[in-house]
Amino acid sequence: MAESATAAEPTKRTRISAVSAWESLFRAQVAVMRTLAAEFPTRDISFNEYDVLFNLSRQPNRELRLRDLNKHVLLTQPSVSRLVDRLVARGLVAKCPEPSDARGTVIRLTDTGYDMFRRVAVDHMKTITDRVGGRLTPEELETLVILCDKLRDAS
């Protein structure tokens, strides 16, 4: 006699739907990111450097511990460290010792880095609006935010 599925065990239909949804989400993310990277509005900073400046700009005092910055960007820890070193050399961020942990490092967005971020952000926002906002209705955009936040919060 066949066993019935328990409430905790996903059905075959749920598994297929989940895999299909993941595949669609992943492919959409890759396609959008490729477009945004290709249409990135400047050669003064890279798309990944912009991501670091963006994340720092959203933090109190425009600073974040390096280990926390690693959680916000889509790069490996060694890649983030090298990227931060390049941004330090260009005066866009500063590395400071963490006051509460001598082994830690705080990355702070400099005024020059913030000015660079803001200049690039205006044009980059136009591309995002065209590529994402131009494809979805305002209601769909709100739903997408809710769904993506729900998936992220479950991790």
Side-chain angles (χ1 to χ4, degrees):
M1 183 169 196
E3 290 182 36
S4 62
T6 64
E9 185 180 324
T11 65
K12 181 177 180 180
R13 180 176 178 199
T14 300
R15 286 192 300 270
I16 291 170
S17 293
V19 170
S20 179
W22 160 248
E23 183 71 21
S24 184
L25 177 63
F26 179 73
R27 300 244 178 244
Q29 186 264 345
V30 168
V32 170
M33 292 299 285
R34 284 181 179 162
T35 299
L36 294 178
E39 296 180 7
F40 195 63
T42 185
R43 298 293 174 236
D44 294 335
I45 59 172
S46 71
F47 192 71
N48 288 331
E49 290 169 334
Y50 174 85
D51 190 29
V52 169
L53 300 183
F54 167 79
N55 279 286
L56 292 172
S57 76
R58 297 178 56 149
Q59 301 303 315
N61 300 321
R62 299 182 193 144
E63 64 184 28
L64 199 57
R65 294 184 319 194
L66 181 58
R67 71 177 188 206
D68 293 331
L69 178 61
N70 284 315
K71 297 174 188 174
H72 289 278
V73 295
L74 301 173
L75 296 169
T76 62
Q77 185 274 324
S79 296
V80 173
S81 294
R82 287 190 302 271
L83 189 146
V84 165
D85 287 342
R86 289 193 306 269
L87 292 172
V88 167
R90 295 173 57 201
L92 300 176
V93 302
K95 285 170 95 170
C96 311
E98 185 176 343
S100 62
D101 180 1
R103 296 170 296 156
T105 302
V106 172
I107 308 302
R108 182 179 311 118
L109 186 59
T110 64
D111 290 341
T112 301
Y114 186 67
D115 291 344
M116 169 74 73
F117 162 73
R118 290 191 60 198
R119 183 175 54 78
V120 174
V122 171
D123 290 333
H124 187 50
M125 193 169 22
K126 290 176 190 170
T127 304
I128 293 169
T129 301
D130 290 346
R131 298 297 174 234
V132 178
R135 304 286 197 275
L136 302 173
T137 67
E139 294 79 19
E140 289 171 328
L141 290 169
E142 289 175 21
T143 300
L144 182 59
V145 169
I146 291 166
L147 295 172
C148 289
D149 287 349
K150 188 174 184 178
L151 286 173
R152 189 175 59 241
D153 291 345
S155 299

